[in-house]
Amino acid sequence: MLVKTYGAAVQGIDALVVTIEVSMEARGWNFTIVGLPDTAVKESYERINTALRESGMNLPRRSVVVNMAPADIKKEGAAFDLPIAVGLLAAGEVIQPVELDSYMIMGELSLDGHVRPVRGILPMAIQARKAGFKYMIVPEENATEAAVVNDITVYGVKNIIQVLEIVQGFPSIGPTVVDTRAEFAAAQQYFDFDFSEVKGQENVKRAFEVACAGGHNILLVGPPGSGKSMMAKRLPSILPPLTLREALETTKIHSVAGRLKQGSRLLTHRPFRSPHHTVSPVALVGGGSNPKPGEISLAHNGVLFLDELPEFSRTVLEVMRQPLEDRHITVSRAKYNVDYPASFMLVASMNPCPCGYYNHPAKACTCMPGAVNKYLGKISGPLLDRIDLQVEILPVPFEKLADAAPGEPSAAIRERVVKARAIQAARFADESAIHCNAQMNSRLLQRWCQLSKESAAILQHAMVKFDMSARAYDRILKVARTIADLDNSDEIMPHHMSEAVNYRNLDRSNWGTIL
């Protein structure tokens, strides 16, 4: 007897429907599974057989062939245990399923019959809806994750018995229901950190506001204890809220990587990823023997914070150059080729020198001559050019630290950022891949960054004096356009250009020179 069940395999951050064909013959006994299964899939029979026996059932001892189609796509992991188990029982006529072709089934079986959670459920649920499935059976811990997808009935099961009850038409549990839009809207306004807790540092707050308004990369340079990490952690609180489309895409990436907590729904806040400086290139960009998204993809639609930037290995920093420009990363290996999105805002911080006190107002720098430039030289020029704002930060004076008055709250800053982003959304309405000023290409720069004589003279003077690259020229134009948007100005005024030039601190010819 031939029976078909349905599951899904993850490719990149998307899923592909997998048809599991189970053929069972009356004579002989043998179990064969084909269709590029990995070791975990090949071992499924032992888990299924033991789980069913512990649940009071037995598989018929017959010759079985299981084919997983399409056969040219590698099937990985133990998530195919449930659809294979249902197919074996149906082919052996142990159960009488109803509308089996309406179900997508995924889950790993433990030896006692309980169902374990798996990764990648959200993209599977999205694909199930696209393919026209009416129902989806997933582990109980993954049920809310799958239920955020509309127009498909999701059952979260604890054990194999509940699965068999559902496919035979008499479920003992109800479907999982999530009001996605209501919960998404309610959770967007709460943050653990707020800029009102930051005393002083008004120039840095302004730089962060500009960076968030235009989606620009930013580097903070300052001595230890000046507040670089503290303010970076508060950055998501002033970024524009996630749209439902962005939230779905971001949650898919975290689901595929196995980073969602049990019972998770859609991510409601923009991600903030802060890898340690010992991170490997593979952990940063993704890949591995079983490919998973890396840190730059986990930061998609959010912030990637690299603390103590020069301490990262040169190889790790250089692999970011391409995704910073293209906003996606293609991982090519001998056995696979996957594409991960990587549209993130890079926020980095570093000490100004090895001892940390160059330009400190109260402590003397003890570094040897040339040490500051050598320390900065750990970061390549091409990577530094891709960072739009380079801001020097100094410690807050005691008077401001002792001031009990709270600073401007994140909500007020965020309101200005959202207004500036709305201007950019209207500006780039006809551009499918452009959403903010930082993403503008040369054609759009020529159209939207026309300069008056006064603004052009300021930029020309800065370019000649600091010997800036062509890429730095483009970055200054983009930042100036964002500052003008914050002022709701159609034209880039001279004071907008002056502020944008001042955000290129590390391009100054005398920066890093110990006198």
Side-chain angles (χ1 to χ4, degrees):
M1 183 176 180
L2 178 65
V3 172
K4 295 182 180 181
T5 59
Y6 299 90
V10 174
Q11 288 188 302
I13 63 166
D14 296 313
L16 176 74
V17 175
V18 174
T19 303
I20 296 145
E21 303 170 327
V22 181
S23 175
M24 188 173 289
E25 297 182 6
R27 292 180 295 180
W29 183 89
N30 188 35
F31 183 84
T32 305
I33 184 166
V34 296
L36 279 185
D38 71 350
T39 302
V41 178
K42 291 177 181 178
E43 294 171 345
S44 61
Y45 180 79
E46 302 302 328
R47 290 191 297 272
I48 293 169
N49 191 33
T50 305
L52 291 176
R53 187 170 61 248
E54 292 294 323
S55 302
M57 291 173 287
N58 288 295
L59 285 174
R61 293 185 62 83
R62 298 177 185 174
S63 182
V64 177
V65 176
V66 178
N67 178 46
M68 307 180 77
D72 59 342
I73 301 297
K74 190 172 181 60
K75 320 304 184 304
E76 299 175 336
F80 292 101
D81 286 358
L82 277 187
I84 294 175
V86 172
L88 289 172
L89 291 172
E93 299 182 341
V94 178
I95 62 171
Q96 301 297 323
V98 179
E99 290 187 299
L100 195 55
D101 58 351
S102 298
Y103 290 86
M104 177 179 282
I105 308 170
M106 293 299 289
E108 176 186 346
L109 275 173
S110 62
L111 296 184
D112 61 358
H114 282 81
V115 180
R116 298 180 183 274
V118 297
R119 63 184 179 94
I121 284 294
L122 181 57
M124 294 177 189
I126 294 172
Q127 184 59 37
R129 181 180 63 182
K130 288 182 180 178
F133 290 95
K134 296 179 182 178
Y135 311 99
M136 189 170 185
I137 300 176
V138 299
E140 185 180 42
E141 292 87 344
N142 297 125
T144 52
E145 179 185 341
V148 302
V149 180
N150 298 324
D151 302 323
I152 187 168
T153 302
V154 176
Y155 289 97
V157 295
K158 294 181 178 179
N159 52 58
I160 184 66
I161 299 298
Q162 291 180 341
V163 177
L164 301 181
E165 290 173 346
I166 294 169
V167 298
Q168 292 182 96
F170 47 89
S172 59
I173 58 173
T176 301
V177 179
V178 174
D179 190 343
T180 305
R181 294 185 180 276
E183 294 189 7
F184 181 71
Q188 280 191 317
Q189 306 303 320
Y190 299 97
F191 294 92
D192 295 330
F193 304 104
D194 195 281
F195 269 100
S196 62
E197 303 157 353
V198 179
K199 304 293 181 65
Q201 303 292 13
E202 301 304 325
N203 63 320
V204 183
K205 291 180 185 177
R206 170 64 177 178
F208 272 149
E209 180 180 340
V210 172
C212 292
H216 303 288
N217 303 320
I218 183 171
L219 170 64
L220 300 179
V221 184
S226 54
K228 303 186 294 294
S229 301
M230 178 192 68
M231 286 189 284
K233 291 178 180 178
R234 285 157 175 76
L235 202 58
S237 67
I238 64 172
L239 282 168
L242 281 170
T243 64
L244 267 176
R245 181 191 60 79
E246 290 175 329
L248 195 63
E249 186 178 33
T250 306
T251 309
K252 279 172 60 178
I253 298 171
H254 286 249
S255 174
V256 170
R259 297 301 181 94
L260 291 182
K261 297 179 180 179
Q262 293 185 3
S264 295
R265 295 175 171 85
L266 281 181
L267 294 179
T268 55
H269 294 156
R270 295 187 180 272
F272 181 89
R273 304 296 302 180
S274 180
H276 193 259
H277 63 78
T278 57
V279 66
S280 69
V282 172
L284 190 70
V285 303
S289 56
N290 293 321
K292 292 182 181 180
E295 289 291 337
I296 61 174
S297 295
L298 292 171
H300 181 63
N301 290 326
V303 175
L304 178 68
F305 177 51
L306 302 184
D307 198 9
E308 300 301 337
L309 188 65
E311 301 303 323
F312 286 79
S313 74
R314 186 69 172 249
T315 305
V316 167
L317 294 180
E318 292 307 300
V319 298
M320 288 198 304
R321 285 164 55 176
Q322 180 258 334
L324 279 172
E325 288 288 333
D326 299 340
R327 300 189 178 272
H328 70 88
I329 181 73
T330 300
V331 181
S332 299
R333 299 292 184 266
K335 295 184 178 180
Y336 62 82
N337 190 316
V338 294
D339 190 87
Y340 294 124
S343 181
F344 59 91
M345 178 178 165
L346 175 63
V347 180
S349 70
M350 59 178 285
N351 292 333
C353 65
C355 79
Y357 295 107
Y358 174 74
N359 270 359
H360 195 283
K363 296 184 180 181
C365 176
T366 60
C367 296
M368 298 293 290
V372 180
N373 282 329
K374 183 178 180 181
Y375 188 68
L376 182 61
K378 293 183 178 181
I379 308 168
S380 71
L383 178 61
L384 204 56
D385 277 347
R386 286 172 168 83
I387 300 177
D388 304 354
L389 290 84
Q390 305 159 3
V391 183
E392 194 170 0
I393 176 173
L394 296 175
V396 180
F398 173 78
E399 297 77 22
K400 290 190 176 181
L401 283 176
D403 185 7
E408 185 178 26
S410 293
I413 303 174
R414 192 186 208 188
E415 185 177 352
R416 296 194 295 269
V417 169
V418 169
K419 288 180 179 178
R421 285 289 184 101
I423 294 172
Q424 295 165 49
R427 176 182 299 142
F428 306 126
D430 296 331
E431 306 288 339
S432 59
I434 307 295
H435 307 290
C436 59
N437 289 334
Q439 300 172 347
M440 282 193 290
N441 52 34
S442 298
R443 174 178 58 83
L444 294 174
L445 279 174
Q446 292 178 0
R447 179 179 179 185
W448 297 109
C449 297
Q450 297 290 331
L451 301 180
S452 64
K453 290 184 179 180
E454 295 83 358
S455 298
I458 293 172
L459 180 55
Q460 181 181 4
H461 176 74
M463 292 293 297
V464 173
K465 182 177 180 180
F466 302 136
D467 191 24
M468 296 180 182
S469 67
R471 185 177 283 113
Y473 172 86
D474 289 348
R475 302 288 174 181
I476 292 173
L477 283 180
K478 293 176 183 180
V479 173
R481 179 68 266 170
T482 299
I483 296 170
D485 290 341
L486 284 168
D487 276 355
N488 197 20
S489 171
D490 293 333
E491 184 181 353
I492 298 177
M493 307 297 291
H495 64 277
H496 299 150
M497 182 58 68
S498 296
E499 183 179 355
V501 170
N502 285 333
Y503 288 135
R504 303 294 299 186
N505 285 22
L506 300 188
D507 289 326
R508 297 174 184 173
S509 58
N510 64 344
W511 199 95
T513 302
I514 299 179
L515 302 175

